[in-house]
Amino acid sequence: MTKTASKTKPPVKAAHKAQRVGYVRVSTLDQNTDRQLEGEILDKVFTDKASGKDTERPQLRAALEYVREGDTLVCHSMDRLARNLDDLRGVVKELTAKGVAVQFVKEALTFTGEDSPMATLLLSVMGAFAEFERSLIKERQREGIAIAKEKGVYKGRKPALTSERVEALRAEDAARGGKGRAGLAREWGISRETLYQYLNLKAVQ
């Protein structure tokens, strides 16, 4: 009597658990990132520290590659996600095409790809307002700087530390043998990137 080989069933893949993934963008290295999505329950957060016009946003690209169908990408506002209206439309379209919802906390809007023509119109209108508001802020900043220069009171951005404190910082770092620099930055109230600039190091180790 011959035995027939038993067929083993392929393992069943576990269903993807929908996640809420946050994306944060701050325009300077020293800005606090915690406030943008404060109170939101998130499974993972991606943070870019770059200006809105900066085309290099590696963490946004990482977030777009990370999210899966059924997930929701949560962003504080439209202007935090995109550089301009065309960029906003492109990112939202890319996400919703793969079944990922996009939620904007400030505007209280969520886009799923199954939106009505009214939702599509809202995306364009609100995105245009965000772009317009950003341009007005920049214009007021330029006008304020120009007026301050005329009055001779504009000195430019002040360094975080005086030259004497920079020397003290370098001495303390040397005394520690270059160890514990993250803690050193916190103690001095500066970012790690700023610390490494003062130490004349090319990259954060």
Side-chain angles (χ1 to χ4, degrees):
M1 185 175 179
T2 59
K3 294 183 179 180
T4 57
S6 59
K7 294 182 178 179
T8 57
K9 295 182 180 180
V12 179
K13 291 184 178 180
H16 173 68
K17 180 184 176 183
Q19 297 188 60
R20 287 174 56 80
V21 180
Y23 174 70
V24 173
R25 179 179 60 78
V26 291
S27 56
T28 71
L29 295 173
D30 294 324
Q31 277 186 285
N32 191 319
T33 62
D34 297 332
R35 297 177 184 174
Q36 287 191 22
L37 296 177
E38 187 176 3
E40 295 292 327
I41 299 176
L42 303 168
D43 297 287
K44 191 175 181 65
V45 177
F46 293 84
T47 302
D48 271 322
K49 295 183 178 180
S51 67
K53 64 182 180 180
D54 192 349
T55 58
E56 295 298 326
R57 293 177 292 170
Q59 287 301 298
L60 175 59
R61 181 49 50 189
L64 298 182
E65 294 175 354
Y66 177 83
V67 290
R68 298 291 183 267
E69 183 178 0
D71 291 346
T72 299
L73 184 74
V74 184
C75 194
H76 172 67
S77 60
M78 291 179 174
D79 66 332
R80 296 292 90 188
L81 179 65
R83 302 184 302 270
N84 51 50
L85 182 56
D86 288 339
D87 188 36
L88 175 66
R89 287 172 174 163
V91 173
V92 172
K93 184 177 180 180
E94 179 180 347
L95 286 166
T96 55
K98 59 192 293 187
V100 177
V102 186
Q103 177 185 347
F104 298 106
V105 177
K106 179 181 177 181
E107 292 85 359
L109 292 173
T110 301
F111 298 90
T112 63
E114 300 177 355
D115 306 304
S116 65
M118 179 59 71
T120 303
L121 176 63
L122 276 174
L123 177 64
S124 297
V125 171
M126 297 299 291
F129 270 118
E131 185 176 344
F132 179 63
E133 182 182 25
R134 188 164 56 247
S135 64
L136 283 180
I137 292 173
K138 290 181 179 178
E139 183 177 353
R140 287 195 293 268
Q141 288 175 339
R142 287 194 297 267
E143 289 175 349
I145 291 173
I147 293 173
K149 284 182 177 179
E150 289 179 0
K151 293 181 178 180
V153 296
Y154 180 73
K155 304 298 182 182
R157 185 177 179 179
K158 294 182 178 179
L161 300 177
T162 63
S163 58
E164 291 80 6
R165 285 180 60 78
V166 170
E167 291 302 320
L169 174 65
R170 290 173 179 169
E172 186 170 345
D173 178 69
R176 296 186 181 192
K179 297 180 180 179
R181 283 173 173 159
L184 181 62
R186 287 193 297 270
E187 293 170 15
W188 284 71
I190 57 178
S191 68
R192 287 186 65 190
E193 290 80 3
T194 301
L195 170 68
Y196 275 73
Q197 289 175 5
Y198 284 136
L199 298 179
N200 294 324
L201 299 176
K202 292 182 179 180
V204 177
Q205 298 174 352

